[in-house]
Amino acid sequence: MAIDLGSATGSGALPATPAVRATRPGWRDPRLWIGVAIVAASVVLGARVISAADDSVQVWAAGSDLGAGTRITEADLVAQSVRFTGGSALAGYFTVADELPAEGQLLQNVGAGELVARGAVGSASSSGLLEVPVAVQPEQVPPSVEAGSVVDVYLVGAPDPQAVSRPLSGPVLSQVSVVAAPPLADSFGTSGLRQLVLAVPEEAAAGFFELLGRYDSAVLTVVRRG
């Protein structure tokens, strides 16, 4: 009896699965355009972040503590990069490209690192301050006192009993700035005294000189703040 081997084998075997070839997405494939959109959005966002980070302006700040009455120059200042939220805020400060006012002086104390506002700078006539010279024993002045320092001045001496009604309980000048502090050899070297020039409010200056006149052999002591 003849056996058909081909029929028997075919009936017991599974059909072969056709091979699937990987194909590249065509330009009409939506996945391609989604990827392009993501990349483009990332580039735009990165550009905006970089632009915002670089959107800063160089403005002047105090290089050290500066007192009212100090005549400011670029030597007293340092440049700082600041990002302002609007042009109106920037208009209140001096940029490094601005020309500082000639003979401009501070109308108020400005701390080290603090931005110098335009409103804090004015002329000597508008400041209400007088430049008052004082002679002080060198040992009564801290070595660190220099132009721009903020100081208190105390008075010690033998009072005239008929002129002074009560003892002093505090500084005769408080929180005044040093306009000039020449070395001893350039001030009162022959007398052994050191000269300081202080920026004093006009009303306080009158009281200061009146008080000095009430004391015999008054001794001034300068105390630096900060």
Side-chain angles (χ1 to χ4, degrees), residues 22-85:
T23 59
R24 295 181 179 180
W27 64 271
R28 294 182 178 179
D29 192 328
R31 293 174 297 174
L32 175 64
W33 294 109
I34 292 174
V36 171
I38 293 175
V39 172
S42 300
V43 172
V44 172
L45 179 60
R48 289 185 176 180
V49 171
I50 295 175
S51 176
D54 293 338
D55 188 16
S56 59
V57 182
Q58 293 275 309
V59 295
W60 288 124
S64 59
D65 290 338
L66 301 175
T70 303
R71 294 190 181 92
I72 60 168
T73 64
E74 291 186 5
D76 304 312
L77 308 174
V78 294
Q80 285 192 2
S81 295
V82 180
R83 184 172 179 266
F84 292 91
T85 56

Side-chain angles (χ1 to χ4, degrees), residues 53-196:
D54 293 338
D55 188 16
S56 59
V57 182
Q58 293 275 309
V59 295
W60 288 124
S64 59
D65 290 338
L66 301 175
T70 303
R71 294 190 181 92
I72 60 168
T73 64
E74 291 186 5
D76 304 312
L77 308 174
V78 294
Q80 285 192 2
S81 295
V82 180
R83 184 172 179 266
F84 292 91
T85 56
S88 58
L90 173 61
Y93 298 91
F94 293 101
T95 70
V96 295
D98 293 331
E99 183 176 354
L100 295 174
E103 300 298 324
Q105 64 178 229
L106 291 177
L107 307 179
Q108 63 191 48
N109 297 340
V110 179
E114 184 179 347
L115 300 184
V116 179
R118 291 182 179 272
V121 180
S123 62
S125 59
S126 64
S127 66
L129 300 172
L130 298 179
E131 293 188 0
V132 176
V134 295
V136 189
Q137 294 286 350
E139 63 270 17
Q140 300 298 103
V141 183
S144 60
V145 169
E146 58 186 5
S149 298
V150 179
V151 301
D152 291 340
V153 179
Y154 290 82
L155 187 151
V156 179
D160 183 348
Q162 297 180 352
V164 179
S165 58
R166 59 185 176 85
L168 298 175
S169 59
V172 292
L173 293 174
S174 180
Q175 299 187 45
V176 296
S177 61
V178 179
V179 176
L184 181 62
D186 297 337
S187 53
F188 291 168
T190 57
S191 65
L193 300 177
R194 184 180 179 187
Q195 182 191 45
L196 298 177

Side-chain angles (χ1 to χ4, degrees), residues 8-16:
T9 304
S11 60
L14 297 174

